[in-house]
Amino acid sequence: MLVEREAELAASSRAVDSVLAGSGALVHIEGTPGSGRSALLERLRGLADDSGALVLSASGAASERTFRFGLARRLLRGLSEAARVEAATRPSTIDTAGDSATGDAPDVPVASSTADTPRDALPPAGEDADSQAGTVPISVLHSLHALLVRTSAVRPVVLVVDDLHFADDASLRCLVHLVARLRGMRVLIAAVLGAGREPERDRAALMHEFTAAAGHRLRPGPLSAAATGELVRARLDVDAEFAACCHELTGGNPRDLVRLLDQAVAHAVHTEPDPVAWLHELAGDDRRRRLAKELTAPAALVARSVVALGEHADPALVQQLSELDPVRYDDALRALEPWFEVRVDRIAAISPEVADDVLAVVDEQADAEDDLHLRAAELLHGHGRPPEAVADQLLLVNSALPDRGVLRLREAAAAVRPRVPETAARYLRRALLDLDPAGADRARLLAELGSVELAFDVGSAVRHITQAVPRLPGVRERAEVVAQLPLTAAGALPQVAELVQRVQGELGPPSDADGQLALRLEARTRYAALEDAATHPAAAARLGELGAGAGSAAERELRVVLLSAVTLSGRARAAEVAGMARELLEQEPANASTAVHSMLAYLPPLLLAAGAPEGLESWLGLAGENARQRGATGTEAVVAAERSLLLMSSGQLAPARSVALTAFELADPARNEAMVLPVCALGTVARRLRDPELADRVLQLPGAAHDLRLFATRRLLQSAMALQNGQPQSALAHVLDCGRRLEQSGWHGTAMYSWRPTAALLHHRLGARHAAAGLAEQELERARQWGAPAQLGLALRVLATVTGGSRGVRLLRESVQVLRTGTDELVLAQALTALGSALADRAPAESEALIAEGRLLAARCNAAPAEDGPEPHSAPNTAELTRAEEVVAGLAALGHTNQDIADELRISRRAVEKRLSAVYRKLGVDGRAGLAAAVRRRIPAERPVRGA
């Protein structure tokens, strides 16, 4: 019963009719096993029989692939007999090659005697054994064609070939020759060619030539759910759910459906209480039973090879791994055909469920799996497959790997390390299992593993490197391994610092051969001592010894550590640090800083602390783009954190908040060294904005007690939040605790972790004016020594706040003057507002102008120009004015004429007048006389600063 094959049957009927009418044709039937392709071929044969045509048939056999002319002999034997009968009864039927039923004259020679038959033309079995498989004498091809012309002139001929993909090469060559010459003959050739069954390259051209000539192509696909239901209900009285289950289990494959229905009828499944459940169990049992029965030893070996090779299971590699000769290999493929799809480029199970069943049966028959995977690894390596494919085979080997297996794993680790270091580490860990625990080779491999783990698990990397170094035989070899450690690792664990110092001592003074190694070791030793106040004078002296210039990469790394030491300890001026840091920035390629432990983590903060951010934005942009292209998420997080700090250095708090959040979300909480900068950046933004939401995200993370940067960030943020909650005493305690720890470590500088301004303002608020003045004076002294505008301007304003009076005004004027040379517009806005407030009674006009300017600058930063002390302030409410009106109003409030404003904004004077008119109307003022006060009133003075 052929269902849903109307189109294919109609095409078959047309093909037979066309041949009866005198036009040769080729019908190509293809499809997956069980799709009904052989049934269609049989129906076409029946149509040809009914029409009176001479129907000859044969089927390819995998076991006869090496038997030359095997299929041709079986197929054309009947043609030979028919030709003999016709010659005996009608000897004059065909006189020349041109006497065909259609009157067309094929341009080929035709045999002139009845002795010229295929049996005479084809060499007997075993002849030409040394000939190439696909080579056919031209005389044989001409004789076959002549015989077909002569016979079809008397009676239509239909040649039916099943499983053409198993035909021997000589027979395939004969059929290709005949297919190309069907024009003018009453000959129909119909052949089934399995989908994707073309593994051999030397047959590809022949197969393509054959199929390209097809005038009719039949591709029976899976049955629809409706057609499946029709077939099910034809045999069983069941409901729609049962029929749908049959369709699901068979995928609409007709052969599988018939087989399932046979089993269902035999077991009367439809009468069970839960027939669908029984059907599932029956289908699984039937598959496994057929597998166990039909999977011969060669088939099981091929199946094991396919499973082992996975996505690399192309037919040629599978045959080599199975170690079967071509005949047994083809037999095995034929046995596996119901469960495996054989394509030109790959063999694979037809579904995950079938793959599970195959594996279950194969596992029962399998032995020597380790040997199979070892041979698969060598096979893939020999054929140039990716190193990771080779390594994946070796990971499945449970026994000890040979030396070449360890070598393959190391090769694969080197290949995948830039893209997926986690995978590289997995390969190396497997290789470690088979090396002598006390040998130098294991130590080297352990060090190699540690260097790979630096990219994603610094803790494990440090552990493996510290285990490996003492076992390495040479001093230089030990130094090279230790020099790979990140700077943070040297400072985090005392045992690592001791290891670095010991290896540095073993290496001795720098020489031409090991100078760069010595510099890298020195950088790590000095980084480990950053929190040791006693080492800071030596660091400053060493920086002086190095002199000007950036030098090699190793020297640049040492310089940035020394610059960090003098900046944190306040033993240099900002201009000196900025100059040396800029030299380093110019020499350090942004795209080379791709790891969180590189100079990327230390150089930008130095430039920001020194008030020299020029060129940093583009450098960070290149570093971030390179990190994105490489998929280095940890580096992206570091870059984003530093971009946030850069935005804060100019007072842009809203975008700084957004970028800091991005950095925080990109960073991996499991990697402490990758979290430091993102946490510090987000904590600094949260502190300046007094943002409880951001503060909670930072403070809920477990603190890293060994990292002073994180400690200081957390304490300062805790202070800000305590003050926000109305707890000034608690806020002061947090700040003073931070200060004590920083002072103990010798971090006296004002640039990076400034705590004295906040402590001074808190003391002032609580009435401890003497303590406030002392801290403020100390901060001003250190800020003058440092010389960066932002720190100096803030120190001047804080001292003015706690001092007051005429001195306070002088200090505020100096603060404004200093800050005008810096980049932080928000700090300048705060100083302008503070000075304007101090001058309210003494110089009202100047006071209003200063406050208006401060509020205009603050509006650009989306914040209020309040003091950076205990009392936070809110962003201005400017919803009533457009941005253009707000800018014009601010300039007018500062006393600029309409023409000045037009020139400044590069717009017409008329446009300025129109915007001012709108401002006067919205603010309810008559003109410029009340504009400054109105602009000042628009910004409330006592609301918390919030982020974007």
Side-chain angles (χ1 to χ4, degrees):
M1 179 180 180
L2 287 177
V3 180
E4 266 188 353
R5 297 293 185 256
E6 292 79 8
E8 289 82 0
L9 292 173
S12 299
S13 180
R14 288 195 299 272
V16 172
D17 290 343
S18 67
V19 171
L20 295 176
S23 177
L26 170 62
V27 178
H28 174 207
I29 305 175
E30 64 176 335
T32 57
S35 61
R37 58 197 187 189
S38 295
L40 284 174
L41 191 66
E42 187 61 28
R43 182 61 63 91
L44 186 146
R45 177 191 176 96
L47 290 174
D49 267 335
D50 294 343
S51 70
L54 173 62
V55 181
L56 305 173
S57 62
S59 178
S63 60
E64 298 181 4
R65 273 285 305 276
T66 58
F67 182 63
R68 278 166 53 79
F69 299 108
L71 184 140
R73 288 177 182 280
R74 293 194 304 276
L75 178 65
L76 300 176
R77 184 181 300 113
L79 187 63
S80 171
E81 296 302 325
R84 291 179 186 278
V85 172
E86 291 294 339
T89 57
R90 300 178 61 187
S92 301
T93 299
I94 302 177
D95 297 326
T96 68
D99 291 334
S100 69
T102 62
D104 293 330
D107 188 18
V108 294
V110 180
S112 58
S113 78
T114 58
D116 211 354
T117 67
R119 188 171 299 173
D120 301 321
L122 297 180
E127 189 172 326
D128 292 335
D130 295 332
S131 300
Q132 292 185 358
T135 302
V136 180
I138 191 65
S139 60
V140 172
L141 297 176
H142 286 333
S143 296
L144 286 175
H145 181 219
L147 181 62
L148 196 57
V149 169
R150 186 164 56 249
T151 306
S152 64
V154 178
R155 182 184 179 187
V157 177
V158 176
L159 303 179
V160 178
V161 184
D162 201 356
D163 289 340
L164 180 61
H165 41 272
F166 286 124
D168 61 274
D169 291 351
S171 295
L172 182 59
R173 168 61 68 188
C174 293
L175 287 173
V176 168
H177 182 81
L178 296 177
V179 161
R181 290 158 178 80
L182 289 177
R183 182 173 175 269
M185 293 191 294
R186 293 189 300 169
V187 176
L188 173 65
I189 298 179
V192 168
L193 182 63
R197 296 302 302 269
E198 190 184 333
E200 297 88 350
R201 291 187 178 183
D202 56 352
R203 290 165 62 90
L206 282 176
M207 289 293 190
H208 176 73
E209 191 175 345
F210 183 87
T211 57
H216 305 275
R217 299 179 185 275
L218 310 185
R219 296 185 177 91
L223 299 176
S224 66
T228 300
E230 180 182 346
L231 289 173
V232 171
R233 285 186 291 273
R235 298 192 60 181
L236 296 170
D237 183 16
V238 293
D239 58 15
E241 183 184 4
F242 188 93
C245 181
C246 290
H247 183 73
E248 176 189 350
L249 290 172
T250 63
N253 184 283
R255 181 191 61 193
D256 292 346
L257 178 61
V258 170
R259 186 174 288 154
L260 181 63
L261 290 176
D262 287 343
Q263 292 291 321
V265 171
H267 291 81
V269 170
H270 61 292
T271 64
E272 297 290 340
D274 189 356
V276 171
W278 275 92
L279 194 64
H280 275 278
E281 185 175 347
L282 184 65
D285 290 345
D286 181 59
R287 277 199 310 268
R288 286 185 288 274
R289 186 167 51 253
R290 286 189 291 115
L291 274 169
K293 178 181 178 181
E294 299 180 25
L295 272 186
T296 61
L301 184 56
V302 170
R304 288 171 55 203
S305 299
V306 170
V307 171
L309 290 171
E311 64 180 15
H312 299 282
D314 72 56
L317 286 179
V318 170
Q319 180 178 359
Q320 291 183 59
L321 184 57
S322 67
E323 298 182 328
L324 295 174
D325 60 68
V327 173
R328 296 177 69 205
Y329 177 63
D330 281 340
D331 285 341
L333 285 183
R334 190 171 183 82
L336 293 173
E337 196 173 53
W339 302 283
F340 284 84
E341 181 183 6
V342 182
R343 301 195 302 265
V344 174
D345 60 338
R346 186 180 173 190
I347 305 176
I350 60 176
S351 72
E353 295 78 14
V354 171
D356 291 341
D357 289 341
V358 171
L359 283 175
V361 174
V362 168
D363 284 345
E364 294 174 1
Q365 304 174 2
D367 56 3
E369 288 296 316
D370 285 352
D371 178 66
L372 181 71
H373 290 299
L374 284 171
R375 289 191 293 107
E378 286 304 304
L379 189 63
L380 290 169
H381 175 75
H383 282 76
R385 298 304 169 90
E388 50 266 46
V390 177
D392 289 341
Q393 293 292 329
L394 296 171
L395 290 179
L396 298 172
V397 177
N398 294 316
S399 58
L401 292 175
D403 290 344
R404 67 176 184 278
V406 174
L407 176 61
R408 299 286 179 262
L409 286 171
R410 296 182 71 172
E411 291 171 348
V416 304
R417 177 178 178 176
R419 295 178 286 108
V420 276
E422 295 87 350
T423 301
R426 189 156 55 95
Y427 295 156
L428 294 176
R429 291 190 192 106
R430 174 62 185 89
L432 278 170
L433 298 178
D434 299 319
L435 294 179
D436 179 6
D441 286 342
R442 178 180 171 82
R444 293 187 180 97
L445 191 55
L446 200 61
E448 186 177 344
L449 172 60
S451 69
V452 171
E453 289 173 328
L454 288 173
F456 64 92
D457 187 355
V458 173
S460 295
V462 169
R463 184 173 66 255
H464 289 140
I465 289 176
T466 52
Q467 290 172 358
V469 168
R471 303 176 188 174
L472 294 173
V475 173
R476 183 175 178 81
E477 190 174 7
R478 292 196 291 272
E480 287 173 346
V481 173
V482 171
Q484 297 180 59
L485 285 167
L487 296 173
T488 50
L493 300 172
Q495 62 268 33
V496 179
E498 293 173 4
L499 176 66
V500 174
Q501 288 180 339
R502 184 167 67 251
V503 174
Q504 185 183 14
E506 292 174 352
L507 188 64
S511 64
D512 292 340
D514 54 22
Q516 299 305 305
L517 275 178
L519 291 173
R520 290 196 179 280
L521 294 178
E522 183 184 357
R524 280 144 186 80
T525 301
R526 291 193 180 278
Y527 185 89
L530 277 180
E531 296 181 27
D532 184 357
T535 65
H536 294 161
R542 177 67 169 126
L543 187 61
E545 290 175 7
L546 292 176
S552 64
E555 184 178 333
R556 292 198 298 273
E557 189 175 44
L558 175 58
R559 283 178 181 274
V560 82
V561 172
L562 295 172
L563 281 175
S564 297
V566 298
T567 299
L568 291 168
S569 61
R571 293 180 175 275
R573 293 187 59 81
E576 298 169 347
V577 171
M580 287 185 278
R582 194 167 302 286
E583 284 184 352
L584 294 175
L585 187 72
E586 291 172 354
Q587 294 296 320
E588 184 71 13
N591 59 1
S593 298
T594 54
V596 295
H597 54 270
S598 71
M599 289 181 65
L600 180 64
Y602 309 104
L603 189 54
L606 289 173
L607 286 164
L608 293 175
E614 297 81 8
L616 193 53
E617 182 175 0
S618 60
W619 192 85
L620 288 174
L622 289 174
E625 180 61 28
N626 181 65
R628 280 189 293 275
Q629 291 177 359
R630 292 170 52 88
T633 307
T635 305
E636 281 190 77
V638 170
V639 172
E642 291 177 333
R643 288 190 59 243
S644 174
L645 295 173
L646 178 60
L647 289 165
M648 277 191 289
S649 73
S650 61
Q652 302 299 311
L653 297 188
R657 181 185 193 275
S658 175
V659 177
L661 273 171
T662 299
F664 189 79
E665 290 165 358
L666 283 173
D668 183 357
R671 299 171 57 192
N672 291 333
E673 78 289 344
M675 288 294 295
V676 173
L677 271 175
V679 170
C680 289
L682 192 64
T684 305
V685 172
R687 178 190 173 204
R688 290 193 68 175
L689 290 176
R690 305 287 167 80
D691 189 321
E693 178 187 351
L694 296 188
D696 285 344
R697 298 190 69 173
V698 172
L699 296 177
Q700 285 175 4
L701 290 173
H706 63 270
D707 195 299
L708 188 52
R709 295 170 297 175
L710 288 178
F711 174 83
T713 299
R714 290 171 63 86
R715 283 289 184 268
L716 292 174
L717 182 56
Q718 287 169 333
S719 171
M721 291 300 100
L723 184 61
Q724 182 83 344
N725 296 327
Q727 301 171 348
Q729 291 284 3
S730 178
L732 180 59
H734 284 304
V735 172
L736 293 178
D737 186 34
C738 174
R740 280 191 294 270
R741 177 80 179 272
L742 292 172
E743 291 296 306
Q744 288 172 359
S745 299
W747 290 17
H748 308 304
T750 65
M752 291 186 171
Y753 302 98
S754 181
W755 60 276
R756 297 183 193 85
T758 301
L761 291 172
L762 284 168
H763 274 305
H764 181 69
R765 175 171 178 161
L766 293 171
R769 300 184 180 277
H770 181 71
L775 284 172
E777 292 281 6
Q778 189 180 41
E779 180 70 8
L780 179 58
E781 180 183 356
R782 294 187 182 280
R784 288 193 189 282
Q785 292 173 357
W786 176 243
Q791 287 79 29
L792 180 55
L794 174 61
L796 287 164
R797 180 164 59 81
V798 170
L799 182 58
T801 300
V802 302
T803 301
S806 299
R807 187 190 180 200
V809 172
R810 291 196 303 274
L811 290 170
L812 286 173
R813 287 191 183 281
E814 185 181 356
S815 175
V816 169
Q817 182 180 4
V818 168
L819 290 171
R820 288 191 187 279
T821 65
T823 61
D824 194 331
E825 290 189 343
L826 183 55
V827 176
L828 174 58
Q830 292 166 346
L832 288 166
T833 304
L835 179 59
S837 298
L839 294 175
D841 296 331
R842 305 182 187 187
E846 184 183 4
S847 170
E848 288 193 0
L850 289 169
I851 290 174
E853 182 183 2
R855 295 189 184 280
L856 179 61
L857 290 176
R860 294 181 186 173
C861 301
N862 195 31
E867 292 188 2
D868 185 34
E871 296 294 343
H873 296 269
S874 68
N877 178 13
T878 58
E880 300 165 0
L881 299 182
T882 66
R883 177 62 178 162
E885 291 167 352
E886 179 186 336
V887 173
V888 169
L891 292 172
L894 293 175
H896 294 285
T897 66
N898 289 359
Q899 188 60 55
D900 290 340
I901 296 172
D903 293 341
E904 174 72 18
L905 302 180
R906 297 183 180 180
I907 59 178
S908 67
R909 181 171 177 173
R910 177 60 179 158
V912 174
E913 293 171 352
K914 288 179 65 177
R915 292 175 187 174
L916 278 176
S917 297
V919 169
Y920 297 154
R921 182 179 69 255
K922 291 179 179 180
L923 298 185
V925 297
D926 295 330
R928 284 178 178 265
L931 183 60
V935 169
R936 181 178 178 181
R937 285 195 303 271
R938 280 178 54 75
I939 306 181
E942 297 296 333
R943 269 195 268 156
V945 175
R946 303 298 296 174

